[in-house]
Amino acid sequence: MKYPPKHHQDNDINHMIDVIKTYPLATIISVKDNQPLITHLPLIYKNEKLIGHIDIYNPQAKLLKNNKDVTIIFTGPECYISPSIYSTKQLPTWNYIKVHLKGNVKGIDNKAALKQSLITMTEFLEAPNHKYVLEPDNPRLDANLNYIEMFEITITNWEGKFKLSQDKKPSDTKAAHEELERANQESIKLFLDKVF
Amino acid sequence: MKYPPKHHQDNDINHMIDVIKTYPLATIISVKDNQPLITHLPLIYKNEKLIGHIDIYNPQAKLLKNNKDVTIIFTGPECYISPSIYSTKQLPTWNYIKVHLKGNVKGIDNKAALKQSLITMTEFLEAPNHKYVLEPDNPRLDANLNYIEMFEITITNWEGKFKLSQDKKPSDTKAAHEELERANQESIKLFLDKVF
C-alpha cells in the first residue's frame, strides 16, 4: 500500500490512548443520507469504550444511539515544518498527530448514570489538582440532566496518524519535535488577542 | 432555534478567515456510500476559494474533483474550562474555535499551475520571515509533481463555532481567554516528550 506511508502510522494503542486522554475534545462525525453531521465534544476513554454527553437539541443527538456508526477524530498538536529547520534538504510539509476511530454508539437512557458520568468526567478533567469538584447535590447539575443525552461508543477500528518527520535523520526528527513545541506556543497568544 | 446557542456562533467572515489563515491545517471530509473519508491537509484561502494539494495515492483524491461536495473543518485553540477560574458559579465546559465550511471541489490538472501553487503556499506559510524559499528549479519539487493533485474548493456555506464563554460576565470571559492561552502552552511539552 502506497498510502498512507507506514512511517506515519503508529499502531501502538498506548500512544493513541495518550492522545485521547491528553486531547479529549473529539470531533464526532455521523453520516445520514451522505451528509456528515459533526459535533465537537470531550469524550472519556474507559475500558476500550468512549463516553460522551450531548445537548438534546443538537440534531446529531438522534444519530448517537441505536448502534449507529460513528467516526471520531482526536487532534493532537500540529504545525508547518519549514525545511529551514533541517540540516538536510527537504520539501516543506505539515506535521500533526491525529487519532481516527470508528465505532458504533448506543444511547444510555438513565439519569442516575448520566449524573455519575458527568461527575466522573469532571474528576478526570480536573486531575491532578482538582480545583473544582462537581458535587452530586449541585442544583445546576440536576437542572441540566433533562437536556443532556449520554452515549457510549464501542471502538471497532483504530488508526494513529503520527506525522512527525520520523523518516528523516535523527537530528532532523529532533528539530521537527522542537519546532512543533515552539510553533504551538507562539501562535496562540497572537491569534487569541485578535479574535477574542 | 435552540441549537447551536447563538452566543457561540460568530458569523463575522473576517474572524473565520483569521482562523483559516492562522490554522491552515484543514480536516477535509468527503462522503461516499455513507462512509466518511478524511484527510488532514493545509489549505490556502484566496479570493473566497481554498486551494490544496493531495497525494495521488490517497483514496480520497478521487473525491476531490468533478464538483463533488466536501466538508471542511479548521481548528483553532481549545481547552477544558474549570469552573474554578470563574468568579461566578458555573458548570464545567469545553471552549474551542472551529470553522465549518461546505463547498464543492474541482481538480486542476495543470502541472505548471500545481508547481506555482506549491511555491505560493510555501511563501504564505514562510511569512513573515521567509527562512526558506521554494525555488522553481528545485529538483525535488519537479520530482514530486507527478504524485500530487491540485484542487480548488468553492465555499458554499460558512459556520464559525467560537465557544468562548461569551455568555458569562466580562471578567469571567476574560478568565476563560487567559485559561485558553495557559492550557494550550502547558499541555504540549509534556505530551510530546511522552509520545514523540
Side-chain angles (χ1 to χ4, degrees):
Chain A
M1 192 169 66
K2 293 190 180 175
Y3 190 92
K6 278 205 183 62
H7 54 263
H8 292 154
Q9 297 290 103
D10 185 336
N11 297 315
D12 182 335
I13 200 165
N14 290 316
H15 280 176
M16 292 191 257
I17 293 171
D18 275 340
V19 175
I20 295 171
K21 291 189 169 177
T22 310
Y23 300 98
L25 185 71
T27 296
I28 303 173
I29 304 168
S30 303
V31 179
K32 194 184 172 192
D33 302 331
N34 277 317
Q35 289 296 317
L37 283 87
I38 303 163
T39 302
H40 307 281
L41 287 175
L43 298 179
I44 299 300
Y45 180 79
K46 197 177 170 188
N47 301 331
E48 300 181 14
K49 292 183 195 263
L50 292 162
I51 308 289
H53 317 100
I54 190 166
D55 183 328
I56 58 167
Y57 295 115
N58 183 327
Q60 197 175 352
K62 290 196 232 8
L63 299 173
L64 297 180
K65 51 181 70 170
N66 302 329
N67 286 311
K68 288 195 192 295
D69 289 341
V70 69
T71 301
I72 299 141
I73 307 170
F74 288 95
T75 295
E78 46 93 354
C79 76
Y80 169 67
I81 297 291
S82 167
S84 67
I85 70 158
Y86 291 134
S87 60
T88 56
K89 286 194 178 169
Q90 303 293 342
L91 290 173
T93 195
W94 209 284
N95 278 353
Y96 57 81
I97 296 176
K98 301 272 181 180
V99 173
H100 286 199
L101 303 176
K102 293 206 174 270
N104 47 66
V105 57
K106 84 177 177 195
I108 297 181
D109 186 13
N110 176 325
K111 292 296 167 206
L114 167 61
K115 183 169 176 169
Q116 185 53 50
S117 179
L118 290 166
I119 290 169
T120 303
M121 180 182 268
T122 302
E123 272 171 14
F124 173 78
L125 297 174
E126 290 282 345
N129 296 323
H130 300 280
K131 289 186 185 164
Y132 174 83
V133 173
L134 183 55
E135 301 284 359
D137 62 353
N138 182 319
R140 286 164 189 267
L141 175 58
D142 279 326
N144 271 272
L145 295 180
N146 288 328
Y147 301 99
I148 303 171
E149 288 181 9
M150 178 178 172
F151 58 89
E152 179 184 272
I153 297 166
T154 301
I155 302 167
T156 55
N157 190 67
W158 295 76
E159 187 183 1
K161 294 178 172 288
F162 287 65
K163 187 164 176 300
L164 296 166
S165 304
Q166 303 94 326
D167 54 329
K168 307 295 181 277
K169 72 175 199 179
S171 66
D172 284 352
T173 305
K174 184 165 176 288
H177 179 132
E178 288 165 2
E179 180 63 8
L180 192 53
E181 245 176 72
R182 192 200 60 74
N184 278 274
Q185 300 199 353
E186 264 191 10
S187 66
I188 188 164
K189 186 165 186 339
L190 212 64
F191 171 73
L192 278 183
D193 289 346
K194 204 165 165 188
V195 303
F196 170 42
Chain B
M1 193 169 67
K2 292 190 179 177
Y3 189 91
K6 278 205 183 63
H7 54 264
H8 293 154
Q9 297 290 104
D10 185 336
N11 296 317
D12 182 335
I13 199 163
N14 291 317
H15 281 175
M16 291 190 257
I17 293 172
D18 275 339
V19 175
I20 295 172
K21 291 190 170 177
T22 311
Y23 300 98
L25 185 70
T27 296
I28 303 173
I29 304 169
S30 303
V31 179
K32 193 185 173 191
D33 303 330
N34 278 316
Q35 289 297 316
L37 283 87
I38 302 163
T39 301
H40 308 280
L41 287 175
L43 297 179
I44 300 298
Y45 180 80
K46 198 178 169 187
N47 301 332
E48 300 180 15
K49 291 180 195 266
L50 292 163
I51 307 288
H53 317 101
I54 189 165
D55 184 329
I56 58 167
Y57 295 116
N58 183 326
Q60 196 175 353
K62 289 195 231 11
L63 300 174
L64 296 180
K65 51 180 69 169
N66 302 329
N67 286 310
K68 287 194 192 295
D69 289 340
V70 69
T71 301
I72 299 141
I73 307 170
F74 289 95
T75 296
E78 46 95 353
C79 77
Y80 169 67
I81 296 290
S82 167
S84 67
I85 70 159
Y86 291 133
S87 60
T88 55
K89 285 194 180 172
Q90 304 294 341
L91 290 173
T93 195
W94 208 284
N95 278 353
Y96 56 80
I97 296 176
K98 303 271 182 181
V99 173
H100 286 199
L101 303 175
K102 295 208 172 268
N104 48 66
V105 56
K106 84 177 178 194
I108 298 182
D109 186 13
N110 177 325
K111 292 296 166 205
L114 167 61
K115 185 170 174 169
Q116 185 52 52
S117 179
L118 291 166
I119 290 169
T120 304
M121 180 181 268
T122 302
E123 273 171 13
F124 173 79
L125 297 173
E126 290 283 345
N129 296 324
H130 299 280
K131 288 186 186 165
Y132 174 82
V133 172
L134 183 55
E135 301 284 359
D137 62 353
N138 182 318
R140 285 163 190 267
L141 174 58
D142 278 327
N144 271 271
L145 295 180
N146 289 327
Y147 302 99
I148 302 172
E149 288 180 10
M150 178 178 171
F151 58 90
E152 179 184 274
I153 298 166
T154 301
I155 302 167
T156 55
N157 190 66
W158 295 76
E159 187 183 2
K161 295 175 172 287
F162 287 66
K163 188 167 175 297
L164 296 167
S165 304
Q166 302 96 323
D167 54 329
K168 308 295 182 276
K169 71 174 199 178
S171 66
D172 284 351
T173 305
K174 185 164 176 287
H177 180 133
E178 288 164 2
E179 180 62 10
L180 191 54
E181 247 178 70
R182 191 200 60 74
N184 279 274
Q185 300 199 354
E186 264 191 9
S187 66
I188 188 164
K189 186 166 187 339
L190 212 65
F191 171 73
L192 278 183
D193 290 346
K194 203 165 166 187
V195 303
F196 171 42

